[in-house]
Amino acid sequence: MSPRHALAILRPACLAAVIALGAPQVGLGSDGNLQSVLLEAGCPRFQLEKLFDRDGVTSYRANCFGSAHKVVIVSCIKGVCVREGTQEEQPE
């Protein structure tokens, strides 16, 4: 098997593995240390929702995946991100 053929087979398999494992989402390059703030908050795997984006200020809500569901709000100003708050939801 040629290297080109092996690479053509390997690429879709790697993409499928990343999708299946639910790789963490990272913010945009302009969001600076967004991912490190989320990791520090105990949120390595998350679904990100943009709440606000105006005049260089962007706020996100991260729904964290793990043993306990957490919602972390992060605000970024010119590439510097800080955690605004954390809510933990208890199972009913």
Side-chain angles (χ1 to χ4, degrees), residues 22-61:
Q25 298 177 4
V26 295
L28 305 171
S30 62
D31 295 333
N33 61 342
L34 174 62
Q35 189 172 7
S36 64
V37 168
L38 290 170
L39 285 172
E40 199 173 282
C43 188
R45 295 182 54 216
F46 54 89
Q47 179 180 14
L48 201 59
E49 175 187 354
K50 189 182 286 188
L51 300 174
F52 179 83
D53 188 7
R54 192 166 123 195
D55 299 330
V57 177
T58 308
S59 291
Y60 299 96
R61 177 184 5 241

Side-chain angles (χ1 to χ4, degrees), residues 1-91:
M1 180 181 316
S2 73
R4 180 178 283 171
H5 184 67
L7 187 59
I9 292 172
L10 189 58
R11 270 191 194 144
C14 289
L15 179 60
V18 167
I19 291 170
L21 292 174
Q25 298 177 4
V26 295
L28 305 171
S30 62
D31 295 333
N33 61 342
L34 174 62
Q35 189 172 7
S36 64
V37 168
L38 290 170
L39 285 172
E40 199 173 282
C43 188
R45 295 182 54 216
F46 54 89
Q47 179 180 14
L48 201 59
E49 175 187 354
K50 189 182 286 188
L51 300 174
F52 179 83
D53 188 7
R54 192 166 123 195
D55 299 330
V57 177
T58 308
S59 291
Y60 299 96
R61 177 184 5 241
N63 288 311
C64 305
F65 304 118
S67 59
H69 183 172
K70 267 191 229 183
V71 176
V72 179
I73 306 296
V74 178
S75 292
C76 301
I77 301 171
K78 297 184 180 181
V80 177
C81 300
V82 293
R83 181 175 65 180
E84 295 294 323
T86 304
Q87 299 174 352
E88 295 201 25
E89 294 183 8
Q90 302 298 326

